Amino acid sequence: MNNFNQQISRRNTSSAKWDLIDDDVLPFSIADNDYATSEAIVKALVERAKHPIYGYTFPDDDYFKSTINWTKRRYGYDIVKDNIIAATGVVISLFHAIKFLNKDIDGVIVQTPVYNPFYMVIRDNNLNIIENPLIRINNHYEIDFALLASQIDRKKILLLCNPQNPTGRVHTYEELKRIVELAKKHNVFILSDEVHCDIMLDDSKFTSLNMFTHIYNKIIVFNSVSKSFGLAGLKTSNIIIRDLKIASEFREYLQGQHFSCGNLFGLTALKAAYNESEAWLESQNKYLANNYAIIKEYFNKNYPAVGVTDQSATYLAWLDFSFLKMPCAKMQDELLKLGVMVNDGKRYGENCNGFIRLNFACPEVQLRQGLKIIGTFIDKHK
Ligand SMILES: Cc1ncc(COP(=O)(O)O)c(C=O)c1O
């Protein structure tokens, strides 16, 4: 049975979210979830753990078949084993993809605000970060195509985050098609981080960039079971490249970098996730949609000056507190003093002073507790 309401203590489990803060602080920060994963995944891991030898491993045929079937069923496109590169995480894969493509390149275009490691993987490849800011209109974001068209040229790479962290925006089919056409015109590679694509909160349709490879082949997609099924600690993800020549060249490059696949338990968990946990995922999404509705209602009713961003995906709320006229770092500190840890908006973009990111993948009681503390914070400073 799925019980997203069950509060399970994560203290003293080496949790990066819970064990690096004081005991009296509730974290709504790092993007992992605070409820149990599916029973099927737990069962598969326990079964595997019972075999007392944990030696070297590899992604077997069942791993690839599970990924191929999930990709077809959920995202609607066909792949074969050679289109998939098993990896230990999305961020390290992005770093290497940029490194692999970094010949006669001078910069990487990103739509901001964006997940902060995007800035790091570009910087660590000694490339310029070219910001294509999303335009905030009321409480939602739009793509600035005119600016994008002026920024893109053959020396760029385009790094997309779809669904978008932290805004929760899902790019439409038409928007992605426009982006692909622009990239094609300038012969630019597009890297698409789709790690949040299974966590949909409404009827919006997620479209993978891999749906456009019939128009243009220079597309690399990054996906993972980490967010969808609460498996971030198992360090297992996939790189999906439909162009077999590019896939083969990138695989060869990665081998030269001693890049490895996910670990034994990650590989086991992915199969149980993709083959046996779809119903769990749907229940989780309903639960998360309700948590998001609670956040919206709480602020609209009690503190309408807070801008709750309209989001269709992810369990990360992007909240505009700029009416308080308080720098992000101070907001984060003040909230911490009151007992709530959030992520300060500035880490996602220079123009995000006044924003906070709130992870709502937790039991409802915990969320309500956090909202109450945030309310106290607003009362104190408004
Ligand atoms: C957009 C995005 N990409 C990648 C990651 C992290 O992926 P991984 O842990 O596989 O490196 C996150 C985690 O929050 C994320 O939000």
Side-chain angles (χ1 to χ4, degrees):
M1 208 192 57
N2 311 318
N3 188 356
F4 300 104
N5 281 324
Q6 189 188 359
Q7 288 188 282
I8 301 172
S9 172
R10 296 182 64 190
R11 301 267 183 209
N12 303 312
T13 63
S14 306
S15 157
K17 185 156 78 183
W18 287 83
D19 285 330
L20 296 173
I21 52 171
D22 291 343
D23 282 351
D24 54 356
V25 174
L26 273 182
F28 297 87
S29 47
I30 296 177
D32 63 18
N33 55 278
D34 292 331
Y35 41 75
T37 188
S38 81
E39 283 180 5
I41 293 173
V42 175
K43 187 163 167 256
L45 290 173
V46 169
E47 277 307 307
R48 183 58 191 86
K50 278 185 191 157
H51 187 291
I53 301 174
Y54 310 115
Y56 290 115
T57 188
F58 70 102
D60 59 17
D61 282 348
D62 202 20
Y63 176 92
F64 288 110
K65 221 190 294 163
S66 308
T67 301
I68 290 166
N69 290 342
W70 181 264
T71 301
K72 175 73 179 167
R73 198 164 70 245
R74 300 284 303 192
Y75 318 134
Y77 66 91
D78 292 305
I79 45 171
V80 295
K81 181 178 168 180
D82 285 347
N83 297 123
I84 306 166
I85 301 173
T88 55
V90 171
V91 174
I92 189 166
S93 302
L94 290 173
F95 169 78
H96 276 292
I98 295 171
K99 196 166 170 204
F100 166 66
L101 298 172
N102 193 359
K103 291 162 211 115
D104 204 21
I105 294 293
D106 62 17
V108 180
I109 303 173
V110 282
Q111 295 176 319
T112 57
V114 79
Y115 177 55
N116 48 319
F118 274 33
Y119 298 109
M120 299 174 201
V121 294
I122 300 170
R123 248 182 237 126
D124 292 343
N125 273 295
N126 298 314
L127 287 169
N128 294 314
I129 297 164
I130 295 122
E131 291 199 39
N132 175 237
L134 294 165
I135 305 167
R136 189 173 174 92
I137 303 166
N138 298 323
N139 283 328
H140 78 273
Y141 285 87
E142 292 294 335
I143 297 172
D144 190 341
F145 276 103
L147 180 62
L148 184 60
S150 73
Q151 292 170 318
I152 199 164
D153 62 45
R154 66 177 178 80
K155 291 193 167 213
K156 303 292 183 292
I157 295 168
L158 188 50
L159 173 52
L160 292 185
C161 187
N162 180 40
Q164 226 261 347
N165 171 6
T167 65
R169 187 185 203 278
V170 178
H171 296 346
T172 66
Y173 182 93
E174 288 70 27
E175 288 166 341
L176 291 169
K177 189 158 179 270
R178 272 180 85 178
I179 290 174
V180 169
E181 281 163 355
L182 254 182
K184 182 178 180 183
K185 185 170 162 200
H186 296 278
N187 199 26
V188 157
F189 257 93
I190 318 177
L191 309 179
S192 183
D193 177 339
E194 300 180 357
V195 72
H196 293 280
C197 72
D198 296 317
I199 301 185
M200 299 296 293
L201 306 178
D202 60 23
D203 296 337
S204 305
K205 186 168 164 24
F206 163 73
T207 305
S208 171
L209 207 69
N210 268 340
M211 293 297 279
F212 298 94
T213 47
H214 61 291
I215 303 176
Y216 184 54
N217 66 334
K218 293 189 171 171
I219 289 172
I220 304 181
V221 162
F222 304 81
N223 200 353
S224 173
V225 283
S226 63
K227 307 291 164 198
S228 317
F229 298 95
L231 300 171
L234 296 185
K235 305 302 287 175
T236 298
S237 70
N238 281 319
I239 304 166
I240 303 182
I241 309 174
R242 292 187 89 185
D243 184 297
L244 286 171
K245 185 164 175 287
I246 298 169
S248 158
E249 286 168 6
F250 191 33
R251 186 177 290 107
E252 197 177 313
Y253 157 87
L254 289 171
Q255 277 160 2
Q257 301 290 318
H258 308 283
F259 188 87
S260 61
C261 66
N263 73 43
L264 178 64
F265 290 103
L267 299 176
T268 302
L270 177 139
K271 295 179 213 171
Y274 283 168
N275 298 332
E276 300 173 68
S277 305
E278 200 163 359
W280 180 90
L281 175 72
E282 295 304 339
S283 308
Q284 174 192 228
N285 287 356
K286 277 201 194 93
Y287 193 84
L288 291 173
N290 189 57
N291 273 0
Y292 174 60
I294 289 169
I295 294 172
K296 249 191 152 158
E297 194 197 343
Y298 179 80
F299 288 116
N300 287 347
K301 203 164 133 198
N302 304 300
Y303 305 100
V306 174
V308 181
T309 303
D310 296 331
Q311 65 184 86
S312 297
T314 85
Y315 48 63
L316 307 162
W318 183 236
L319 306 171
D320 180 2
F321 280 73
S322 52
F323 70 100
L324 291 178
K325 307 219 174 336
M326 189 187 284
C328 271
K330 181 154 167 53
M331 250 192 327
Q332 194 184 26
D333 278 358
E334 292 292 319
L335 281 165
L336 208 50
K337 279 187 216 154
L338 292 171
V340 157
M341 170 82 182
V342 294
N343 289 120
D344 80 83
K346 263 204 103 170
R347 60 161 65 193
Y348 307 100
E350 273 307 309
N351 299 332
C352 301
N353 227 350
F355 281 77
I356 62 169
R357 195 190 75 169
L358 181 92
N359 174 353
F360 56 86
C362 62
E364 185 182 323
V365 263
Q366 187 178 311
L367 175 63
R368 289 193 185 277
Q369 245 177 305
L371 289 174
K372 210 167 151 204
I373 296 173
I374 294 173
T376 308
F377 160 77
I378 299 173
D379 288 337
K380 204 170 147 197
H381 295 283
K382 71 183 174 194

mmCIF file of all heavy atoms in Angstrom, residues 30-31 88-92 94 115 118 161 163-165 193 195-196 224 226-227 232 235-237 316 357, ligand 1:
data_model
loop_
_atom_site.group_PDB
_atom_site.id
_atom_site.type_symbol
_atom_site.label_atom_id
_atom_site.label_comp_id
_atom_site.label_asym_id
_atom_site.label_seq_id
_atom_site.Cartn_x
_atom_site.Cartn_y
_atom_site.Cartn_z
ATOM 1 N N ILE A 30 17.102 20.078 -0.448
ATOM 2 C CA ILE A 30 17.609 19.135 -1.465
ATOM 3 C C ILE A 30 16.485 18.303 -2.095
ATOM 4 O O ILE A 30 15.608 17.799 -1.389
ATOM 5 C CB ILE A 30 18.656 18.193 -0.824
ATOM 6 C CG1 ILE A 30 19.858 19.023 -0.379
ATOM 7 C CG2 ILE A 30 19.073 17.086 -1.787
ATOM 8 C CD1 ILE A 30 20.930 18.242 0.327
ATOM 9 N N ALA A 31 16.574 18.139 -3.421
ATOM 10 C CA ALA A 31 15.465 17.518 -4.160
ATOM 11 C C ALA A 31 15.450 15.995 -4.054
ATOM 12 O O ALA A 31 15.781 15.277 -5.005
ATOM 13 C CB ALA A 31 15.504 17.971 -5.615
ATOM 14 N N THR A 88 26.097 7.095 -13.783
ATOM 15 C CA THR A 88 25.958 7.196 -12.323
ATOM 16 C C THR A 88 25.293 8.498 -11.888
ATOM 17 O O THR A 88 25.279 8.818 -10.708
ATOM 18 C CB THR A 88 27.332 7.129 -11.630
ATOM 19 O OG1 THR A 88 28.147 8.148 -12.207
ATOM 20 C CG2 THR A 88 27.983 5.790 -11.773
ATOM 21 N N GLY A 89 24.760 9.248 -12.811
ATOM 22 C CA GLY A 89 24.092 10.482 -12.407
ATOM 23 C C GLY A 89 23.976 11.423 -13.586
ATOM 24 O O GLY A 89 24.724 11.317 -14.569
ATOM 25 N N VAL A 90 23.039 12.352 -13.458
ATOM 26 C CA VAL A 90 22.782 13.286 -14.552
ATOM 27 C C VAL A 90 23.854 14.374 -14.601
ATOM 28 O O VAL A 90 24.359 14.712 -15.672
ATOM 29 C CB VAL A 90 21.370 13.897 -14.401
ATOM 30 C CG1 VAL A 90 21.153 15.028 -15.387
ATOM 31 C CG2 VAL A 90 20.314 12.811 -14.582
ATOM 32 N N VAL A 91 24.225 14.905 -13.434
ATOM 33 C CA VAL A 91 25.151 16.044 -13.446
ATOM 34 C C VAL A 91 26.502 15.642 -14.040
ATOM 35 O O VAL A 91 27.035 16.332 -14.919
ATOM 36 C CB VAL A 91 25.309 16.650 -12.027
ATOM 37 C CG1 VAL A 91 26.386 17.724 -12.017
ATOM 38 C CG2 VAL A 91 23.981 17.244 -11.566
ATOM 39 N N ILE A 92 27.025 14.506 -13.612
ATOM 40 C CA ILE A 92 28.323 14.084 -14.157
ATOM 41 C C ILE A 92 28.193 13.784 -15.658
ATOM 42 O O ILE A 92 29.119 14.047 -16.447
ATOM 43 C CB ILE A 92 28.919 12.891 -13.372
ATOM 44 C CG1 ILE A 92 30.352 12.655 -13.836
ATOM 45 C CG2 ILE A 92 28.095 11.632 -13.481
ATOM 46 C CD1 ILE A 92 31.171 11.771 -12.960
ATOM 47 N N LEU A 94 26.139 15.357 -17.714
ATOM 48 C CA LEU A 94 26.097 16.663 -18.396
ATOM 49 C C LEU A 94 27.502 17.236 -18.523
ATOM 50 O O LEU A 94 27.887 17.759 -19.573
ATOM 51 C CB LEU A 94 25.222 17.650 -17.606
ATOM 52 C CG LEU A 94 23.715 17.389 -17.581
ATOM 53 C CD1 LEU A 94 23.034 18.345 -16.612
ATOM 54 C CD2 LEU A 94 23.114 17.536 -18.971
ATOM 55 N N TYR A 115 18.576 25.059 -12.318
ATOM 56 C CA TYR A 115 19.284 24.179 -11.379
ATOM 57 C C TYR A 115 20.769 24.563 -11.341
ATOM 58 O O TYR A 115 21.445 24.538 -12.371
ATOM 59 C CB TYR A 115 19.087 22.750 -11.883
ATOM 60 C CG TYR A 115 19.770 21.656 -11.123
ATOM 61 C CD1 TYR A 115 19.572 21.494 -9.756
ATOM 62 C CD2 TYR A 115 20.591 20.751 -11.788
ATOM 63 C CE1 TYR A 115 20.187 20.461 -9.076
ATOM 64 C CE2 TYR A 115 21.203 19.711 -11.109
ATOM 65 C CZ TYR A 115 20.999 19.578 -9.753
ATOM 66 O OH TYR A 115 21.612 18.555 -9.080
ATOM 67 N N PHE A 118 24.028 23.406 -13.293
ATOM 68 C CA PHE A 118 24.183 23.731 -14.716
ATOM 69 C C PHE A 118 25.305 24.761 -14.888
ATOM 70 O O PHE A 118 26.118 24.673 -15.800
ATOM 71 C CB PHE A 118 22.880 24.308 -15.292
ATOM 72 C CG PHE A 118 21.894 23.272 -15.782
ATOM 73 C CD1 PHE A 118 21.794 22.038 -15.173
ATOM 74 C CD2 PHE A 118 21.063 23.541 -16.866
ATOM 75 C CE1 PHE A 118 20.873 21.085 -15.618
ATOM 76 C CE2 PHE A 118 20.147 22.603 -17.327
ATOM 77 C CZ PHE A 118 20.049 21.380 -16.701
ATOM 78 N N CYS A 161 16.583 22.321 -19.574
ATOM 79 C CA CYS A 161 16.081 21.598 -18.418
ATOM 80 C C CYS A 161 14.567 21.533 -18.609
ATOM 81 O O CYS A 161 13.881 22.543 -18.529
ATOM 82 C CB CYS A 161 16.426 22.368 -17.145
ATOM 83 S SG CYS A 161 16.024 21.486 -15.634
ATOM 84 N N PRO A 163 11.186 18.892 -17.715
ATOM 85 C CA PRO A 163 10.629 20.025 -16.994
ATOM 86 C C PRO A 163 11.711 20.811 -16.258
ATOM 87 O O PRO A 163 12.741 20.271 -15.888
ATOM 88 C CB PRO A 163 9.662 19.382 -16.000
ATOM 89 C CG PRO A 163 9.317 18.063 -16.593
ATOM 90 C CD PRO A 163 10.536 17.619 -17.315
ATOM 91 N N GLN A 164 11.372 22.075 -16.059
ATOM 92 C CA GLN A 164 12.377 23.013 -15.605
ATOM 93 C C GLN A 164 12.455 23.097 -14.078
ATOM 94 O O GLN A 164 11.436 23.250 -13.404
ATOM 95 C CB GLN A 164 12.012 24.384 -16.191
ATOM 96 C CG GLN A 164 13.164 25.143 -16.797
ATOM 97 C CD GLN A 164 13.703 26.170 -15.839
ATOM 98 O OE1 GLN A 164 13.071 26.466 -14.832
ATOM 99 N NE2 GLN A 164 14.868 26.712 -16.130
ATOM 100 N N ASN A 165 13.657 22.972 -13.567
ATOM 101 C CA ASN A 165 13.947 23.202 -12.151
ATOM 102 C C ASN A 165 14.657 24.544 -12.078
ATOM 103 O O ASN A 165 15.679 24.700 -12.737
ATOM 104 C CB ASN A 165 14.856 22.074 -11.633
ATOM 105 C CG ASN A 165 15.386 22.325 -10.232
ATOM 106 O OD1 ASN A 165 15.015 23.287 -9.580
ATOM 107 N ND2 ASN A 165 16.278 21.455 -9.787
ATOM 108 N N ASP A 193 18.128 17.872 -20.170
ATOM 109 C CA ASP A 193 18.021 17.220 -18.862
ATOM 110 C C ASP A 193 16.533 17.036 -18.560
ATOM 111 O O ASP A 193 15.814 18.008 -18.336
ATOM 112 C CB ASP A 193 18.699 18.116 -17.816
ATOM 113 C CG ASP A 193 18.582 17.565 -16.395
ATOM 114 O OD1 ASP A 193 17.690 16.744 -16.132
ATOM 115 O OD2 ASP A 193 19.384 17.991 -15.540
ATOM 116 N N VAL A 195 15.253 14.937 -16.124
ATOM 117 C CA VAL A 195 15.199 14.133 -14.902
ATOM 118 C C VAL A 195 13.863 14.260 -14.158
ATOM 119 O O VAL A 195 13.445 13.344 -13.457
ATOM 120 C CB VAL A 195 16.406 14.467 -13.984
ATOM 121 C CG1 VAL A 195 16.279 15.830 -13.348
ATOM 122 C CG2 VAL A 195 16.597 13.423 -12.915
ATOM 123 N N HIS A 196 13.158 15.382 -14.352
ATOM 124 C CA HIS A 196 11.889 15.570 -13.629
ATOM 125 C C HIS A 196 10.666 15.150 -14.454
ATOM 126 O O HIS A 196 9.536 15.416 -14.053
ATOM 127 C CB HIS A 196 11.734 17.042 -13.218
ATOM 128 C CG HIS A 196 12.735 17.476 -12.185
ATOM 129 N ND1 HIS A 196 12.601 17.200 -10.846
ATOM 130 C CD2 HIS A 196 13.914 18.144 -12.305
ATOM 131 C CE1 HIS A 196 13.638 17.687 -10.180
ATOM 132 N NE2 HIS A 196 14.447 18.265 -11.042
ATOM 133 N N SER A 224 16.549 9.722 -15.495
ATOM 134 C CA SER A 224 16.958 8.975 -14.316
ATOM 135 C C SER A 224 15.740 8.503 -13.537
ATOM 136 O O SER A 224 14.655 9.082 -13.665
ATOM 137 C CB SER A 224 17.796 9.909 -13.432
ATOM 138 O OG SER A 224 18.083 9.309 -12.205
ATOM 139 N N SER A 226 15.962 8.679 -10.339
ATOM 140 C CA SER A 226 16.266 9.251 -9.022
ATOM 141 C C SER A 226 15.137 10.105 -8.453
ATOM 142 O O SER A 226 14.739 9.918 -7.304
ATOM 143 C CB SER A 226 17.569 10.046 -9.076
ATOM 144 O OG SER A 226 17.440 11.138 -9.954
ATOM 145 N N LYS A 227 14.605 11.037 -9.241
ATOM 146 C CA LYS A 227 13.516 11.892 -8.728
ATOM 147 C C LYS A 227 12.197 11.129 -8.763
ATOM 148 O O LYS A 227 11.417 11.175 -7.822
ATOM 149 C CB LYS A 227 13.348 13.157 -9.579
ATOM 150 C CG LYS A 227 14.590 13.953 -9.792
ATOM 151 C CD LYS A 227 15.070 14.630 -8.545
ATOM 152 C CE LYS A 227 16.502 15.066 -8.730
ATOM 153 N NZ LYS A 227 17.195 15.360 -7.511
ATOM 154 N N ALA A 232 17.620 8.737 -5.404
ATOM 155 C CA ALA A 232 18.795 9.571 -5.698
ATOM 156 C C ALA A 232 20.088 9.005 -5.114
ATOM 157 O O ALA A 232 21.158 9.146 -5.705
ATOM 158 C CB ALA A 232 18.562 10.993 -5.195
ATOM 159 N N LYS A 235 22.440 6.490 -7.288
ATOM 160 C CA LYS A 235 23.352 6.947 -8.348
ATOM 161 C C LYS A 235 23.232 6.145 -9.645
ATOM 162 O O LYS A 235 24.194 5.506 -10.088
ATOM 163 C CB LYS A 235 24.802 6.909 -7.848
ATOM 164 C CG LYS A 235 25.076 7.667 -6.572
ATOM 165 C CD LYS A 235 24.719 9.120 -6.630
ATOM 166 C CE LYS A 235 25.634 9.983 -7.440
ATOM 167 N NZ LYS A 235 25.115 11.367 -7.517
ATOM 168 N N THR A 236 22.045 6.168 -10.215
ATOM 169 C CA THR A 236 21.838 5.441 -11.470
ATOM 170 C C THR A 236 21.009 6.300 -12.420
ATOM 171 O O THR A 236 19.940 6.781 -12.041
ATOM 172 C CB THR A 236 21.101 4.112 -11.188
ATOM 173 O OG1 THR A 236 21.945 3.328 -10.346
ATOM 174 C CG2 THR A 236 20.814 3.336 -12.463
ATOM 175 N N SER A 237 21.508 6.501 -13.627
ATOM 176 C CA SER A 237 20.766 7.305 -14.600
ATOM 177 C C SER A 237 21.069 6.799 -16.007
ATOM 178 O O SER A 237 21.908 5.910 -16.182
ATOM 179 C CB SER A 237 21.173 8.778 -14.466
ATOM 180 O OG SER A 237 22.494 8.953 -14.918
ATOM 181 N N LEU A 316 9.085 20.879 -6.717
ATOM 182 C CA LEU A 316 9.809 22.035 -6.202
ATOM 183 C C LEU A 316 8.988 23.289 -6.469
ATOM 184 O O LEU A 316 8.715 23.607 -7.633
ATOM 185 C CB LEU A 316 11.169 22.129 -6.902
ATOM 186 C CG LEU A 316 11.991 20.828 -6.831
ATOM 187 C CD1 LEU A 316 13.096 20.812 -7.870
ATOM 188 C CD2 LEU A 316 12.554 20.616 -5.429
ATOM 189 N N ARG A 357 13.131 28.335 -3.079
ATOM 190 C CA ARG A 357 12.644 27.070 -3.641
ATOM 191 C C ARG A 357 12.270 26.158 -2.488
ATOM 192 O O ARG A 357 13.057 25.973 -1.554
ATOM 193 C CB ARG A 357 13.729 26.420 -4.511
ATOM 194 C CG ARG A 357 13.185 25.327 -5.408
ATOM 195 C CD ARG A 357 14.286 24.527 -6.074
ATOM 196 N NE ARG A 357 14.915 23.604 -5.136
ATOM 197 C CZ ARG A 357 15.753 22.632 -5.488
ATOM 198 N NH1 ARG A 357 16.076 22.469 -6.758
ATOM 199 N NH2 ARG A 357 16.283 21.827 -4.581
HETATM 200 C C1 LIG B 1 17.431 19.337 -13.246
HETATM 201 C C2 LIG B 1 18.241 18.386 -12.436
HETATM 202 N N1 LIG B 1 19.222 17.683 -13.025
HETATM 203 C C3 LIG B 1 19.969 16.803 -12.328
HETATM 204 C C4 LIG B 1 19.764 16.608 -10.977
HETATM 205 C C5 LIG B 1 20.637 15.676 -10.213
HETATM 206 O O1 LIG B 1 20.812 14.507 -10.890
HETATM 207 P P1 LIG B 1 21.911 13.466 -10.396
HETATM 208 O O2 LIG B 1 21.746 13.310 -8.920
HETATM 209 O O3 LIG B 1 21.562 12.244 -11.163
HETATM 210 O O4 LIG B 1 23.230 14.026 -10.771
HETATM 211 C C6 LIG B 1 18.766 17.329 -10.319
HETATM 212 C C7 LIG B 1 18.562 17.177 -8.867
HETATM 213 O O5 LIG B 1 17.926 17.943 -8.215
HETATM 214 C C8 LIG B 1 17.984 18.231 -11.068
HETATM 215 O O6 LIG B 1 17.013 18.937 -10.497
#
